Amino acid sequence: MRSREDWRGHPMRLPSARFASSGDVSVKDPNTLEIASRVLAGEVPAGARLIRWLEDDDPRGAAVLAELYPHTGRARVVGITGAPGAGKSTLAGMLIGELRARGQKVGVVAVDPSSPFSGGAVLGDRIRMQQHAADPGVFIRSMGSRGQHGGLARASFDALLVLDAMGYDTILVETVGVGQEEIEIVSLADTTLIVAVPGLGDEVQAIKAGLMEAGDVFVLNKADRDGAPETRRQLELALHLRTQHHGEGAWIPPVIPAVAARREGGAAVLDAVDAHTQSLRESGEITARRSARAYAVFHKLLRDAAARRLLEAALARPDAAALVEGVRSLSIDPHAAAASLVSRLELAGI
Amino acid sequence: MRSREDWRGHPMRLPSARFASSGDVSVKDPNTLEIASRVLAGEVPAGARLIRWLEDDDPRGAAVLAELYPHTGRARVVGITGAPGAGKSTLAGMLIGELRARGQKVGVVAVDPSSPFSGGAVLGDRIRMQQHAADPGVFIRSMGSRGQHGGLARASFDALLVLDAMGYDTILVETVGVGQEEIEIVSLADTTLIVAVPGLGDEVQAIKAGLMEAGDVFVLNKADRDGAPETRRQLELALHLRTQHHGEGAWIPPVIPAVAARREGGAAVLDAVDAHTQSLRESGEITARRSARAYAVFHKLLRDAAARRLLEAALARPDAAALVEGVRSLSIDPHAAAASLVSRLELAGI
């Protein structure tokens, strides 16, 4: 196994070494260390199992993750989002090819339900992705839309950590670009790539409303269409307005034209992503972004656990039964019933 | 104003009458009763404002809703879902036309971000919807993807209640058909309509995996395409397997062919929805469905309030700071930090 460094430049201690030399094996589940070892060795079945455990809130997942965590932080995370039909998946496919050509291992976390990666797309798209699915240097994990305790954002961040630990150099996170959680997911990536298409003035409005602040690199896909120069000007103007108050040396998001369906523009897009990564490293902002990502997961986990505990306490109160009955019989409105139960908890000092 | 009955057949007391005759005006905010009155009179600005208040957790929203709640329960709620590209919005447009032709007022809650109703679709779709947008018998409320405290499901249910109180006879809820919340939203409708298209064997698989149990009426849209009879057979077989253990008189979901883009099949689809509504009323299951919907909202509200309270308590602990710092500096993994903080709350008896 090649020697690895984490993103802070520290050499990484692999748990196989720890496994052999340290005396603490007896206090851990040997299976935990075994799985952690396999994940760090990049074994796909072990990685997939760990992601599933984390999704299911299986305690083994958290145990393995605790072992892996010191070995994460090396991968670069690139979020890809944009309006439906902008060609996010096709662009992701082109970027995978470009990253592979540059010798990188690529992980993909597909949060977009209409993505061919997650099986939601039309047949043609799916066939175009087959080549990558068969490439051992590419690991695609689609976040199913059901069965994730704690929501999509947390499950996606967990999957990122696992793919990072598995040794993928760049991890693409594709989300549908609508939905609060989806926007949160991409905006917490190291680099967020917004995919736009020409010809719709509304498009720029929508991006301005929701995603302008989140974008680090803008791709004007389908740039062979009418209206591409105009849309590009509009985007660049909006970006200029956004960044004009930033200090000298601040990153100015570029707008890169591409025609992903014809594999045109991939190198330029990847160069822009690389330049952004470099800029993040030089300014130290990469640490701030990763810190924010970690805190977001922590906050979500804490919130879930808190909700579970207090919800149980609330519903176990003897006076809860009448309220629940009132809600079920449609005689008390849900807002009034919830407010009443919460105020009783407050009175009880819980 | 015409006399109205709720869905249980009870005559509805309008708050205008109550406003005039009862003596409790002094203990309520007159503005609350004013808005409630306007909503019940079907005034769109009042309804839109109430939905916004509820989305924003503005306390005025809950106060008005408490007034309105006894007057809800009359509308029929029809959920529409299916894979991206199945033509859900076109079908919804056709159903609006059919319902209007039968003299009904129609509310639409669009939870699908790619729906033309919510502004996410291509220009052509949006133009096709214009006719309904200008019709005073149709009220379309798109659930934005951001800024909903408490999530999409709760916001959608709240919007349903408001549209119900406003006097819309049938309320269509369109969701993208992927995502846990989206599936929950449609499966809590009175009638859930699944839109499928021919030619994709995988389509049936996807429906089987996620939505088969939730569907009351299946629409095979684009039924003029190759493979329609085969897909219909597959769907009917899957439905037969699903319902074969149900008792006599149980509802067997029909598969209705349609070509929504050419406005073909709308009457048959609506007849099937009407038949299902009738079946729900006869079996009394409509009460169970509405009870489940109310309880789901109550549970979500309670969970949110509980999470907020306990989260604050957890993060205010003096020993939380070191854990948060550990998470932010990437030295403690988020799962371990959250678990540690929760266990300390438990020890403290909170």
Side-chain angles (χ1 to χ4, degrees):
Chain A
M1 191 181 294
R2 68 195 154 113
S3 132
R4 289 167 60 190
E5 292 188 346
D6 69 16
W7 59 272
R8 287 155 298 204
H10 303 157
M12 292 177 62
R13 205 166 44 119
L14 291 177
S16 51
R18 180 183 187 171
F19 207 21
S21 65
S22 82
D24 65 358
V25 175
S26 58
V27 300
K28 310 232 182 200
D29 181 349
N31 197 37
T32 297
L33 294 176
E34 167 82 17
I35 298 274
S37 236
R38 287 181 186 277
V39 171
L40 283 170
E43 292 183 20
V44 166
R49 192 192 309 180
L50 175 54
I51 291 173
R52 212 162 45 241
W53 282 348
L54 289 165
E55 281 180 345
D56 294 346
D57 269 347
D58 186 314
R60 290 174 293 183
V64 175
L65 192 65
E67 290 299 312
L68 291 180
Y69 199 68
H71 308 281
T72 60
R74 189 173 147 280
R76 168 175 64 173
V77 179
V78 178
I80 302 179
T81 194
K88 295 180 291 295
S89 306
T90 319
L91 184 82
M94 178 169 73
L95 285 181
I96 294 172
E98 193 65 34
L99 286 159
R100 293 295 294 139
R102 299 188 191 184
Q104 294 204 19
K105 290 177 70 184
V106 186
V108 179
V109 178
V111 192
D112 181 350
S114 67
S115 163
F117 296 122
S118 50
V122 289
L123 208 56
D125 283 333
R126 227 175 288 172
I127 288 164
R128 277 199 289 280
M129 295 302 162
Q130 290 295 345
Q131 47 169 323
H132 298 309
D135 175 351
V138 178
F139 181 46
I140 296 172
R141 184 54 160 81
S142 107
M143 307 312 291
S145 50
R146 335 190 60 188
Q148 264 121 17
H149 295 260
L152 222 47
R154 204 198 88 196
S156 304
F157 293 138
D158 285 347
L160 284 182
L161 287 177
V162 176
L163 266 57
D164 184 346
M166 286 173 79
Y168 294 97
D169 302 284
T170 294
I171 302 170
L172 306 178
V173 184
E174 184 198 351
T175 87
V176 74
V178 274
Q180 208 159 330
E181 272 210 313
E182 286 76 5
I183 289 173
E184 186 188 350
I185 292 167
V186 283
S187 61
L188 287 171
D190 296 333
T191 298
T192 299
L193 214 146
I194 312 279
V195 188
V197 290
L200 294 174
D202 293 352
E203 173 96 10
V204 176
Q205 294 306 319
I207 290 174
K208 275 161 97 167
L211 289 169
M212 211 68 194
E213 284 300 319
D216 300 306
V217 172
F218 288 76
V219 177
L220 184 60
N221 194 24
K222 310 184 185 181
D224 53 343
R225 287 201 185 164
D226 287 348
E230 175 59 19
T231 304
R232 185 176 180 174
R233 262 194 304 276
Q234 290 178 341
L235 279 173
E236 284 173 341
L237 176 64
L239 287 167
H240 176 71
L241 293 173
R242 165 187 147 188
T243 52
Q244 65 182 347
H245 299 300
H246 295 194
E248 212 177 330
W251 173 258
I252 297 169
V255 181
I256 316 286
V259 187
R262 289 207 310 258
R263 307 241 153 208
E264 291 171 17
V269 173
L270 192 49
D271 288 346
V273 172
D274 285 347
H276 184 253
T277 305
Q278 192 56 32
S279 153
L280 283 181
R281 291 212 165 110
E282 282 166 7
S283 68
E285 203 197 320
I286 199 161
T287 311
R289 292 207 175 194
R290 288 171 179 199
S291 171
R293 199 154 73 211
Y295 186 75
V297 180
F298 166 71
H299 195 269
K300 269 177 212 304
L301 287 162
L302 195 59
R303 193 178 189 287
D304 283 352
R308 224 168 12 238
R309 280 180 54 74
L310 205 55
L311 192 59
E312 273 168 24
L315 291 174
R317 288 177 59 88
D319 55 357
L323 281 169
V324 169
E325 179 46 34
V327 169
R328 287 204 186 276
S329 64
L330 307 176
S331 57
I332 307 178
D333 86 88
H335 286 263
S340 165
L341 200 44
V342 167
S343 72
R344 292 179 201 184
L345 284 175
E346 277 170 29
L347 285 176
I350 297 176
Chain B
M1 191 180 294
R2 69 194 153 114
S3 134
R4 289 168 61 190
E5 291 189 348
D6 69 14
W7 58 272
R8 286 155 298 205
H10 303 158
M12 292 176 63
R13 205 167 43 119
L14 290 178
S16 51
R18 180 182 187 173
F19 207 20
S21 65
S22 82
D24 65 359
V25 175
S26 59
V27 301
K28 311 229 182 201
D29 180 350
N31 197 37
T32 297
L33 294 177
E34 167 81 19
I35 299 274
S37 236
R38 287 180 186 278
V39 171
L40 283 170
E43 292 183 21
V44 166
R49 191 193 308 180
L50 175 55
I51 291 173
R52 213 163 43 240
W53 282 348
L54 289 165
E55 281 181 346
D56 294 346
D57 268 348
D58 186 314
R60 290 174 292 182
V64 176
L65 193 65
E67 290 299 312
L68 293 180
Y69 199 69
H71 308 280
T72 60
R74 188 173 147 280
R76 167 174 65 171
V77 178
V78 178
I80 301 180
T81 194
K88 295 179 290 295
S89 306
T90 318
L91 184 82
M94 178 170 72
L95 285 181
I96 293 172
E98 191 67 32
L99 286 159
R100 294 295 294 139
R102 299 188 190 183
Q104 295 205 18
K105 290 178 67 184
V106 186
V108 179
V109 178
V111 193
D112 181 349
S114 67
S115 163
F117 296 122
S118 50
V122 289
L123 208 56
D125 283 334
R126 229 175 287 171
I127 288 165
R128 276 199 291 278
M129 296 302 161
Q130 291 295 346
Q131 49 168 321
H132 298 309
D135 176 351
V138 178
F139 181 44
I140 296 173
R141 184 53 160 80
S142 106
M143 306 311 291
S145 49
R146 333 191 62 188
Q148 264 120 17
H149 294 261
L152 221 49
R154 205 199 87 196
S156 303
F157 293 138
D158 285 347
L160 284 182
L161 286 177
V162 176
L163 266 58
D164 183 346
M166 288 173 76
Y168 294 96
D169 303 284
T170 293
I171 302 170
L172 305 178
V173 184
E174 184 197 351
T175 87
V176 74
V178 275
Q180 206 158 331
E181 272 209 314
E182 285 77 5
I183 289 173
E184 185 187 348
I185 293 166
V186 282
S187 60
L188 287 171
D190 296 333
T191 298
T192 299
L193 213 146
I194 312 278
V195 188
V197 289
L200 294 175
D202 294 353
E203 173 96 10
V204 176
Q205 294 307 318
I207 291 173
K208 274 163 96 169
L211 289 170
M212 212 67 195
E213 284 301 319
D216 300 307
V217 172
F218 287 76
V219 177
L220 184 60
N221 194 22
K222 309 184 185 182
D224 54 344
R225 286 201 186 165
D226 288 347
E230 174 60 16
T231 304
R232 184 176 181 174
R233 261 194 306 275
Q234 289 177 344
L235 279 172
E236 285 173 340
L237 177 63
L239 287 167
H240 175 72
L241 293 173
R242 165 189 146 187
T243 51
Q244 66 181 345
H245 300 300
H246 295 195
E248 212 176 330
W251 173 258
I252 297 168
V255 180
I256 316 285
V259 187
R262 290 207 309 259
R263 307 239 153 209
E264 291 171 17
V269 173
L270 192 50
D271 287 346
V273 172
D274 284 347
H276 183 252
T277 304
Q278 192 55 34
S279 153
L280 283 181
R281 290 211 165 111
E282 282 166 8
S283 67
E285 202 197 319
I286 200 160
T287 310
R289 292 207 175 194
R290 289 172 177 196
S291 170
R293 201 154 72 211
Y295 186 76
V297 180
F298 166 71
H299 195 270
K300 269 177 213 303
L301 287 162
L302 194 60
R303 192 177 190 285
D304 283 351
R308 223 167 15 237
R309 282 179 53 75
L310 204 55
L311 193 58
E312 272 167 25
L315 291 174
R317 287 178 61 87
D319 55 356
L323 281 170
V324 169
E325 178 48 34
V327 169
R328 287 203 186 276
S329 65
L330 307 176
S331 57
I332 307 178
D333 85 89
H335 286 263
S340 165
L341 199 45
V342 168
S343 71
R344 291 178 204 187
L345 284 175
E346 277 170 29
L347 285 176
I350 298 176

